[in-house]
Amino acid sequence: GQNIDQPTEMTATEGAIVQINCTYQTSGFNGLFWYQQHAGEAPTFLSYNVLDGLEEKGRFSSFLSRSKGYSYLLLKELQMKDSASYLCAVRDNAGKSTFGDGTTLTVKP
Amino acid sequence: DTGVSQNPRHKITKRGQNVTFRCDPISEHNRLYWYRQTLGQGPEFLTYFQNEAQLEKSRLLSDRFSAERPKGSFSTLEIQRTEQGDSAMYLCASSGRGQAYQETQYFGPGTRLLVL
């Protein structure tokens, strides 16, 4: 099975940089996803890593180390609208994804 | 709008009643997933279809839950004899025609169920 850990809450200041970590233990690995979820809404796709290294997409970057079972999501130039829950999800060989419980990020002025 | 759609968006029911939810995936997607999410937790996998075939079902899913995708397009999730613990957001996601492990899942807006 899969076990995914991420911090419950984080707070950061508008314009700053924040890093949200995710560690996982898995019996089969075929990629790690990050999703953003605003309160009361569905998750929206942010990034996908299957190989080690950094994937950059605008203000958001995601890093993966398969040997360490570790990923992080880096958010730069934080905006108030970035206040949301950020979900880490690991996919197994069959295509099924297991989600962490999410990190609630609060961006303050 | 060509995204994943779900109906109804909200459902309030009394304990013991049956409810049915519908999901329409992105039209070219052949995989469809159902998840359940409660406050403060991530989506929890319920079941998964490839075309009309139900390939996997969570052991967490009791016999009161059933899902179908009869023509490989839309899917329905039925909960029989609802209990208060069934209150949650039910999310549907779909993914495309490549290998399952290569695909991104795109979520619908969810159906929020409240069992009184």
Side-chain angles (χ1 to χ4, degrees), chain A residues 91 94-95, chain B residues 2 4 23-34 47-56 68-75 92-106:
Chain A
R91 184 159 59 191
Chain B
T2 58
V4 179
C23 171
D24 287 88
I26 293 171
S27 59
E28 62 267 26
H29 285 180
N30 66 339
R31 292 189 180 85
L32 187 148
Y33 305 79
W34 284 100
T47 190
Y48 152 51
F49 290 86
Q50 180 166 306
N51 299 313
E52 65 275 9
Q54 188 173 17
L55 297 187
E56 192 166 348
E68 294 183 341
R69 195 183 183 200
K71 298 181 180 179
S73 56
F74 74 91
S75 174
C92 175
S94 71
S95 64
R97 293 192 171 273
Q99 294 295 317
Y101 63 84
Q102 296 175 323
E103 298 170 357
T104 296
Q105 295 178 23
Y106 294 92

Side-chain angles (χ1 to χ4, degrees), chain A residues 7-20 36-39 75 78-86 102-109:
Chain A
T8 304
E9 294 180 333
M10 297 184 72
T11 302
T13 304
E14 191 175 16
I17 298 173
V18 70
Q19 177 174 313
I20 303 174
Q36 180 191 61
Q37 186 175 28
H38 286 98
L75 293 77
L78 280 173
Q79 302 174 9
M80 299 298 290
K81 68 177 182 179
D82 296 330
S83 293
S85 179
Y86 290 86
T103 298
T104 299
L105 173 66
T106 301
V107 181
K108 296 186 173 180

